[in-house]
Amino acid sequence: MSIFGMGTLTGLALIVAIGAQNAFILRQGLRREHVGAVVVLCILSDVLLIFAGTAGIGALVATFPAVLEILRWAGAAYLLWWAVRSFRAAWKPTAWQEQTPRSRGSVVLTAAALTYLNPHVYLDTVVLLGSLANQHGVQGRWIFASGAAAGSVLWFTALGFGARALSSVLNRPGVWRVIDICIGVMMAALAVSLILGSALLT
């Protein structure tokens, strides 16, 4: 397998697992609300972090665990707030056309918070992918990083616009209740995992 292909598969293996960021993209796709802006932000963020890790920033992050500790508590608080918000939405579900529209700026800021306040994002992209990329030498590391970035482009585009394509089928209050409950449970579980810190530095 080529170095580029290895980078793509590794990147996909890390980002396909449903997390806070993916859940938000899925929700915005189903709402048909500023999907393009959210997808572009997530792609650019991943590319930035992957190439930063490849350039050696991963070693700096690993040297200063206090940075991840601050992000851990800030991210946990934000995820708990989002969980409560999702449970409240599930209490009185509505179809997406009936939901109060949000501004592009508000949606983009939420996506940014769910991305940059999650220390696992830095561990996956900056530390892990950066370390793996640097195993391929001075030139090969950038090919690996480009492959990982391509994986992010493929996944986020498919997730966001795929969800938007399915929104007409899933646009029922009962479906939204299930979606919001699932998102709320997942956000709460992620917050608890951050508070416990069991997987942060393993």
Side-chain angles (χ1 to χ4, degrees):
M1 183 181 295
S2 67
I3 295 176
F4 184 90
M6 289 176 60
T8 301
L9 290 178
T10 305
L12 284 171
L14 290 174
I15 66 172
V16 165
I18 293 297
Q21 186 186 55
N22 285 340
F24 184 71
I25 296 173
L26 177 64
R27 195 176 197 284
Q28 290 307 118
L30 292 174
R31 282 176 59 101
R32 294 187 175 183
E33 186 179 62
H34 310 303
V35 182
V38 172
V39 168
V40 168
L41 172 75
C42 292
I43 289 173
L44 291 179
S45 297
D46 254 26
V47 171
L48 172 65
L49 294 172
I50 289 169
F51 279 90
T54 304
I57 303 300
L60 182 64
V61 172
T63 304
F64 296 99
V67 174
L68 292 178
E69 186 70 9
I70 294 171
L71 289 170
R72 177 163 74 98
W73 289 103
Y78 192 81
L79 288 172
L80 284 174
W81 173 82
W82 193 265
V84 171
R85 185 177 184 274
S86 296
F87 289 135
R88 289 180 61 187
W91 185 258
K92 293 182 179 180
T94 58
W96 68 264
Q97 294 101 327
E98 302 168 356
Q99 297 175 10
T100 304
R102 300 176 60 192
S103 67
R104 184 185 302 271
S106 173
V107 169
V108 169
L109 283 175
T110 299
L114 291 173
T115 299
Y116 292 104
L117 288 180
N118 184 0
H120 289 291
V121 170
Y122 299 93
L123 291 172
D124 287 346
T125 57
V126 178
V127 178
L128 182 55
L129 284 177
S131 299
L132 292 174
N134 278 284
Q135 294 180 11
H136 295 281
V138 177
Q139 294 183 339
R141 62 178 179 170
W142 298 111
I143 298 174
F144 183 93
S146 297
S152 295
V153 172
L154 291 172
W155 172 250
F156 290 135
T157 301
L159 181 63
F161 291 101
R164 189 172 73 174
L166 292 173
S167 63
S168 58
V169 178
L170 301 176
N171 182 35
R172 297 192 299 272
V175 173
W176 273 108
R177 173 178 279 120
V178 173
I179 291 172
D180 283 323
I181 289 175
C182 289
I183 289 177
V185 169
M186 184 182 59
M187 296 294 186
L190 289 170
V192 170
S193 72
L194 289 182
I195 292 171
L196 295 178
S198 59
L200 278 179
L201 297 177
T202 58

